[in-house]
Amino acid sequence: MSGNHRELLQSLGVNLDLHDQLIAHNTKLHERTHVAQTCRPKAMGLFDEAFHASHGNRVAEIVEYRRNGGKSIGTFCIFVPDEIALAAGVLPIPLCGGSHWPVDYADKMFPREICPLVRSTFGMAFSNTCPYKKLKDAAVGETTCDAKKKAWDLLGFNVMEVPQKKNERDRDLWRAEVRAFREMVEQLSGKRLTLDSLRLEVRRQNRKRMLLQEINALRTATEPPISGLDALLVSQVALAMDVDAFIRAAAELLGELRERIEDDISAYETPGPRVLMAGTPSPLGNAKVHYAVESSGMRIVADESCTGSRYYRDLVDETPVTLEGLLDAVADRYFRIDCSCFSPNHERIEHLLDMAELYHVDGVVQNILSFCHGYNVEAKVVEQALQKRDIPMLKVVTDYSFEDLEQLRVRLEPFREILQAKTGASARAE
Ligand code: SF4
Ligand code: SF4
């Protein structure tokens, strides 16, 4: 980290000694999980840079933006509609923590028996290692799970009510919440949304999501040109990076991946079984289970989490010709998110089965963060649906710490053998 960045972080109240420890921890893991891969696309260098920039250049960019009068909000879930915030001149900063290093600092206010994502997020804030703490004018939470909901109350954050069912009246409630969010960001920036400003941001976000769709579609190939670990990094960075900078980087990566497909260049030295990762998100800094799976000889070819397809699968309909119509289109796009907070959540199962078929997966790994009851209980529904299709499944419940890596491998390696035996048997039968 440059001297300038250290001064900048200090001016933001960051505890530099603790921050050095956090960065050393994150960098070491990133080198072990991502950089150590031997068949990476060159363009992944751009995403490695973005990973490091999240506590350096990106902070400087946001400071500069705010110096010029820009407003910003902290967000914690993919339900917060970025298009609307940006169209009102408010920059959303995703603050979900993915690092294990700060989790114990959350003890200052939260019980230990909650999800590591929540603990990591607030552990960073309480240890004064989050540079974004002072770079937001407001924080916007949502009612997706109990741990988050109660945390927002405790900290006095704004809250968007995400309905728990998907009937018409729930959709109407969500559309009303989206309009309340619009008013909130307009008040913050003093700028009214217009049809043109919203349409511009809808197009930019759609472009970003389309690039992610195209990149991930290439993973259906027999020889995937990008690893599951790197595809995860691309999705993680999509949330944190400036939109236009991300679009440029993603377009460069897409071009290289297409060339790799033509030249039959795989991201893997050996062609292990193809698996789909399903479940909770892995925010920037957390790639533990992806690493455990791929270093146990399997290839992650698809990811249905919020740091995977749930983030980019749906686009906003760009055709409405009135501001109210476009606001509804934005709300409806977010209402299609199939988070486990919904009851029932049939759409998620349908999407997951479609992905399993499209990406020719041999098995599914359900990756569940400890104490995430929604995804953990729903794992049984996922298992039953997969059983009907004769798709093997392994559920892993774990936190961010690498302490149980070997225990995970002890479960993952026999799972790989089961998949290999099954694919070998079906190849022999053909
Ligand atoms: S899993 Fe649910 S609560 Fe978590 S980021 Fe995704 S939509 Fe939000
Ligand atoms: S992973 Fe589950 S428990 Fe954790 S914040 Fe998301 S929904 Fe809540």
Side-chain angles (χ1 to χ4, degrees):
M1 185 168 301
S2 76
N4 282 350
H5 286 149
R6 288 182 74 77
E7 275 172 35
L8 181 69
L9 293 176
Q10 199 161 28
S11 72
L12 294 170
V14 170
N15 179 323
L16 290 183
D17 289 341
L18 291 181
H19 189 261
D20 285 346
Q21 291 177 31
L22 167 76
I23 296 300
H25 171 92
N26 291 351
T27 304
K28 196 169 145 202
L29 275 189
H30 184 71
E31 276 164 14
R32 178 175 176 187
T33 53
H34 290 81
V35 180
Q37 297 173 96
T38 49
C39 312
R40 298 183 88 198
K42 282 195 194 69
M44 282 311 299
L46 298 168
F47 299 90
D48 290 335
E49 266 174 41
F51 168 79
H52 296 298
S54 66
H55 279 235
N57 274 345
R58 182 66 182 141
V59 179
E61 280 171 19
I62 296 173
V63 168
E64 188 55 25
Y65 162 85
R66 287 171 59 83
R67 245 185 226 139
N68 293 326
K71 301 288 180 189
S72 50
I73 52 171
T75 63
F76 306 89
C77 172
I78 63 163
F79 262 104
V80 180
D82 288 347
E83 295 86 344
I84 293 179
L86 289 162
V90 173
L91 182 72
I93 310 174
L95 294 178
C96 285
S99 174
H100 175 64
W101 182 87
V103 294
D104 287 342
Y105 286 92
D107 293 356
K108 189 173 162 187
M109 209 176 277
F110 294 110
R112 301 195 129 230
E113 298 80 14
I114 59 170
C115 155
L117 190 155
V118 177
R119 281 168 58 75
S120 175
T121 304
F122 293 104
M124 289 236 284
F126 299 158
S127 60
N128 289 325
T129 54
C130 177
Y132 300 105
K133 197 171 160 184
K134 290 198 177 162
L135 289 181
K136 57 186 189 311
D137 300 285
V140 181
E142 31 29 73
T143 55
T144 44
C145 72
D146 289 347
K148 291 208 281 184
K149 218 159 48 181
K150 292 293 112 185
W152 315 144
D153 287 353
L154 200 57
L155 300 165
F157 288 0
N158 297 283
V159 179
M160 291 185 81
E161 182 172 354
V162 175
Q164 309 286 283
K165 292 174 84 75
K166 286 202 172 167
N167 297 320
E168 213 172 307
R169 62 172 178 261
D170 305 299
R171 192 207 58 185
D172 292 345
L173 166 69
W174 177 242
R175 284 183 172 186
E177 284 295 296
V178 165
R179 281 175 170 77
F181 176 71
R182 168 208 173 170
E183 279 170 26
M184 191 214 116
V185 287
E186 282 180 339
Q187 271 174 16
L188 208 56
S189 66
K191 191 177 152 193
R192 297 287 290 170
L193 223 70
T194 63
L195 177 61
D196 285 346
S197 68
L198 184 57
R199 186 175 279 145
L200 184 76
E201 295 304 335
V202 162
R203 285 188 179 143
R204 283 202 319 150
Q205 295 295 325
N206 275 355
R207 175 80 188 117
K208 170 161 106 169
R209 292 194 164 101
M210 276 191 276
L211 279 162
L212 284 163
Q213 288 174 1
E214 288 176 80
I215 287 169
N216 283 282
L218 299 178
R219 298 165 76 194
T220 57
T222 311
E223 293 295 343
I226 181 167
S227 68
L229 269 164
D230 278 340
L232 172 67
L233 180 61
V234 174
S235 288
Q236 290 170 330
V237 161
L239 286 151
M241 210 169 169
D242 167 73
V243 185
D244 293 328
F246 177 82
I247 287 173
R248 286 193 295 277
E252 187 170 330
L253 176 66
L254 180 62
E256 184 181 350
L257 296 183
R258 284 184 175 142
E259 283 170 21
R260 284 184 142 218
I261 294 269
E262 270 172 33
D263 299 339
D264 222 10
I265 299 175
S266 172
Y268 301 92
E269 279 180 53
T270 45
R274 303 169 66 93
V275 298
L276 181 153
M277 287 286 268
T280 48
S282 303
L284 197 59
N286 177 34
K288 180 175 91 174
V289 180
H290 288 71
Y291 173 68
V293 169
E294 296 211 315
S295 61
S296 298
M298 288 173 271
R299 297 178 294 173
I300 299 169
V301 295
D303 193 328
E304 71 93 43
S305 73
C306 286
T307 40
S309 66
R310 198 167 291 123
Y311 177 66
Y312 59 74
R313 185 188 58 226
D314 298 313
L315 303 179
V316 175
D317 175 12
E318 295 180 16
T319 56
V321 291
T322 62
L323 179 56
E324 290 305 313
L326 197 53
L327 279 165
D328 282 343
V330 172
D332 293 352
R333 180 262 166 211
Y334 282 82
F335 197 52
R336 289 202 289 277
I337 294 173
D338 52 359
C339 175
S340 73
C341 66
F342 287 100
S343 160
N345 197 16
H346 303 307
E347 287 161 315
R348 177 171 178 232
I349 307 303
E350 284 160 21
H351 287 139
L352 212 141
L353 293 176
D354 287 349
M355 283 180 81
E357 194 177 330
L358 182 67
Y359 288 86
H360 321 291
V361 309
D362 302 312
V364 171
V365 174
Q366 294 205 65
N367 174 20
I368 318 276
L369 284 172
S370 318
F371 304 109
C372 180
H373 306 312
Y375 281 94
N376 201 355
V377 176
E378 196 161 271
K380 197 70 196 169
V381 185
V382 172
E383 181 183 349
Q384 288 166 348
L386 292 171
Q387 265 169 359
K388 284 190 194 145
R389 298 272 180 105
D390 197 23
I391 302 173
M393 187 281 306
L394 179 75
K395 183 177 91 171
V396 170
V397 181
T398 186
D399 59 16
Y400 290 170
S401 156
F402 263 61
E403 273 173 21
D404 64 350
L405 185 66
E406 289 315 312
Q407 284 158 267
L408 289 180
R409 287 222 175 94
V410 166
R411 297 184 59 217
L412 287 164
E413 283 169 14
F415 184 62
R416 184 203 66 221
E417 285 165 14
I418 289 170
L419 300 185
Q420 278 171 328
K422 193 161 179 282
T423 48
S426 49
R428 280 192 297 279
E430 276 166 15

